[in-house]
Amino acid sequence: MPDMTPDEFRKYGHRVVDWIADYGDRVGELPVRSQLAPGDVRGALPAHPPEHGESFDAVLADLDRVVLPGVTHWQHPSYFAYFPANASGPAILGDLLSSGLGVQGMLWATSPACTELEMVVVDWLAELLALPADFTHAGTGGGTIEDSASSASLVALLAARHRASGGEVERSGATGRQTVYVSSETHSSLEKAVRVAGIGADNMRVVGVDENLAMDAAVLDRAIVADVAAGAVPAMVCATVGTTATGAVDPVRAIGEVCRRHGVWLHVDAAYAGVAAVCPEFRELNDGVADYADSYVTDPHKWLLTNFDCSVFWVRDRGPLVGALSVLPEYLRNAATESGAVVDYRDWQIPLGRRFRALKLWSVLRWYGAAGLREHIRSDVESARRFAELVAADDRFETVAPPRLGLVCLRPRWERIAGVDAAAADELTARLLVELNDSGALYLSHAKVRGRTALRFCVGAPATRWRHVEAAWERIRAGVAELADS
Ligand SMILES: *Cc1c(COP(=O)(O)O)cnc(C)c1O
């Protein structure tokens, strides 16, 4: 098969866009979670690649026949699991333009627009979220788009490790024994980062949480004092704004005071909740960030209408970050880099190469405007609030943590409904979850909250309206009634 001609590209491109538009129209009629078993998709595909090129029609036919049944529909209006991964028309089109340009933006010189548009959109987002001016490219720091919050937190740790070792870690690998502080509710990506960075999980302190599942700053302080006394070098504390299990918020201000006293890097992981700060009424979540955070990450791909992947990461001081990650081989040398007048984003991430992700975030910010983004967040928070009210009004259920933004964690009170003990109750909750998700009508996930199994219900898919939330609640109630009868 020869190259696809521009006319062929146009023809199939229109069909693909039509396909995506139709998908958006009908996604609500599909089972939310894929109903396939392991191996079904692979089994439906040929074992060997084609020797001769095929028509794109054949690819599109297999998309419907093989791929779609194996897709879990994250854009389904009844998707309430994990944190929804937001997509939107403008983001899809922005991503398509990025593919069309096919740019690899490792250096400013490899495409100035790729770097400078990114600098502008992350500065815009910092302003929309009321993050401190230090975090912008006009200040001492700046932001960048990473593939995920996991990568951003690893990069934060590498910068923190660099600062704590005075750069010794990059020279000799010798850092002394560095320690990192998280809470029992911190996302698992931090432990992964600690492992990848070579700090070792034994040097990660899991600080206890209070009754709100938030890190206890006094316990953190004691842990740091004890480690310093034992000869360790505390490198980083990760505070979470919106934990994954329940949306709990660590006291960033109190934690920040501890960090400042001991000279420890404060990274704030706001992967889910951070974007809610587009609304002034939710900015108190970030209390302390402006005064104390060294780095901050939030994911527009979780709740700001931007297709995965788009995780925005800011630092207050770009020095340690670039110090940790910049290596300049001869083949990347160029006049712009040498002039010092440009940002080379390869120094802000692990890989060298990078996509032109700014196009999709730019498309989203321009299409919705700040007002449209606020409306999206507010309507989800309002739906979650009303859902929590329904839960609270039914004495067969309880919320196991305060509802936070779009997230409600709940459980049926099986002890009361079925007269069973806690262990049997947790098993019934787990069975309920399987049955609800197997139905294809909705999709929830679960968490352990204070040792008990809870359902996690997160409103955030762009297509979700109150009627879908209400229908999900009726499904959950009916599921409980059926299990109680059986
Ligand atoms: C989802 C989540 C992450 C991981 O996000 P990715 O972008 O998927 O890596 C990290 N931290 C928190 C608090 C999260 O909720």
Side-chain angles (χ1 to χ4, degrees):
M1 200 74 122
D3 285 344
M4 193 177 266
T5 64
D7 277 342
E8 286 169 324
F9 179 79
R10 199 182 319 279
K11 174 178 136 193
Y12 289 115
H14 287 158
R15 284 193 36 204
V16 166
V17 170
D18 282 343
W19 190 97
I20 297 171
D22 290 342
Y23 174 70
D25 269 348
R26 70 194 169 103
V27 64
E29 294 146 32
L30 301 171
V32 190
R33 200 204 53 200
S34 170
Q35 308 287 305
L36 296 195
D40 284 352
V41 175
R42 292 179 69 203
L45 293 166
H48 304 287
E51 173 64 20
H52 300 288
E54 300 175 58
S55 149
F56 204 75
D57 293 305
V59 175
L60 289 175
D62 283 350
L63 181 70
D64 286 313
R65 186 182 65 88
V66 182
V67 176
L68 204 58
V71 170
T72 289
H73 302 291
W74 287 68
Q75 306 312 317
H76 195 293
S78 298
Y79 184 101
F80 303 105
Y82 307 103
F83 290 120
N86 276 196
S88 70
I92 295 167
L93 295 176
D95 226 4
L96 182 59
L97 290 170
S98 169
S99 292
L101 290 171
V103 157
Q104 202 277 58
M106 57 190 177
L107 300 166
W108 177 89
T110 62
S111 227
C114 181
T115 295
E116 294 192 19
L117 186 64
E118 185 161 326
M119 293 169 77
V120 168
V121 292
V122 297
D123 279 0
W124 280 6
L125 189 61
E127 181 182 323
L128 287 171
L129 303 181
L131 292 174
D134 284 353
F135 282 14
T136 66
H137 286 278
T140 51
T144 184
I145 306 178
E146 307 261 345
D147 56 1
S148 67
S150 307
S151 296
S153 293
L154 172 58
V155 163
L157 180 56
L158 298 178
R161 198 179 63 146
H162 173 90
R163 194 176 81 177
S165 75
E168 194 52 40
V169 59
E170 288 80 24
R171 285 189 293 272
S172 66
T175 62
R177 189 165 63 84
Q178 293 192 340
T179 46
V180 171
Y181 304 81
V182 301
S183 87
S184 48
E185 299 296 310
T186 301
H187 191 266
S188 58
S189 55
L190 267 293
E191 180 171 348
K192 197 187 257 191
V194 162
R195 288 200 218 168
V196 172
I199 285 173
D202 286 352
N203 294 313
M204 186 181 86
R205 304 280 172 261
V206 180
V207 176
V209 294
D210 62 18
E211 68 282 3
N212 296 318
L213 300 169
M215 186 189 282
D216 186 324
V219 176
L220 170 69
D221 192 29
R222 290 198 292 276
I224 292 177
V225 167
D227 282 329
V228 171
V233 179
M236 186 176 95
V237 173
C238 176
T240 307
V241 170
T243 61
T244 310
T246 65
V249 177
D250 289 338
V252 174
R253 181 170 296 283
I255 292 169
E257 281 160 11
V258 172
C259 288
R260 178 148 311 158
R261 205 152 54 238
H262 298 287
V264 183
W265 186 288
L266 174 59
H267 174 58
V268 175
D269 177 0
Y272 162 66
V275 296
V278 292
C279 305
E281 67 271 31
F282 300 129
R283 287 187 186 151
E284 64 189 2
L285 289 168
N286 279 331
D287 179 52
V289 166
D291 292 329
Y292 295 104
D294 292 291
S295 54
Y296 186 93
V297 62
T298 189
D299 284 349
H301 66 231
K302 273 188 176 157
W303 202 16
L304 208 64
L305 298 161
T306 308
N307 287 60
F308 191 87
D309 52 357
C310 185
S311 180
V312 183
F313 172 64
W314 291 271
V315 286
R316 188 182 294 275
D317 177 3
R318 46 192 179 258
L321 177 65
V322 174
L325 295 175
S326 182
V327 181
L328 186 60
E330 182 55 35
Y331 47 80
L332 295 179
R333 283 189 187 279
N334 66 88
T337 295
E338 247 127 84
S339 76
V342 301
V343 165
D344 287 323
Y345 272 134
R346 71 187 182 110
D347 297 335
W348 295 53
Q349 60 175 24
I350 308 283
L352 172 63
R354 60 201 324 276
R355 306 179 59 225
F356 198 164
R357 295 192 191 93
L359 278 170
K360 64 185 165 193
L361 187 55
W362 189 49
S363 304
V364 166
L365 299 182
R366 295 187 66 177
W367 177 267
Y368 289 97
L373 299 175
R374 285 186 207 115
E375 203 175 299
H376 163 67
I377 298 286
R378 281 180 184 143
S379 94
D380 290 346
V381 173
E382 175 62 9
S383 290
R385 190 192 64 73
R386 289 175 69 187
F387 177 80
E389 262 178 21
L390 293 176
V391 174
D394 187 328
D395 62 8
R396 295 173 310 156
F397 289 85
E398 62 184 359
T399 52
V400 300
R404 189 69 89 160
L405 299 171
L407 178 62
V408 184
C409 291
L410 68 152
R411 55 181 293 275
R413 300 164 81 175
W414 296 111
E415 294 85 338
R416 168 183 297 199
I417 300 167
V420 297
D421 65 11
D426 282 355
E427 263 172 46
L428 282 169
T429 302
R431 237 176 89 192
L432 172 67
L433 180 68
V434 169
E435 288 179 11
L436 290 171
N437 290 344
D438 282 352
S439 78
L442 75 176
Y443 190 24
L444 312 179
S445 56
H446 76 285
K448 282 271 185 210
V449 182
R450 298 186 192 86
R452 299 297 306 274
T453 303
L455 304 176
R456 274 177 86 270
F457 187 93
C458 188
V459 183
T464 302
R465 298 291 171 265
W466 171 245
R467 67 177 187 279
H468 304 109
V469 176
E470 216 173 13
W473 170 239
E474 289 310 325
R475 276 272 175 180
I476 295 167
R477 292 178 67 181
V480 167
E482 272 166 41
L483 262 182
D485 284 348
S486 67

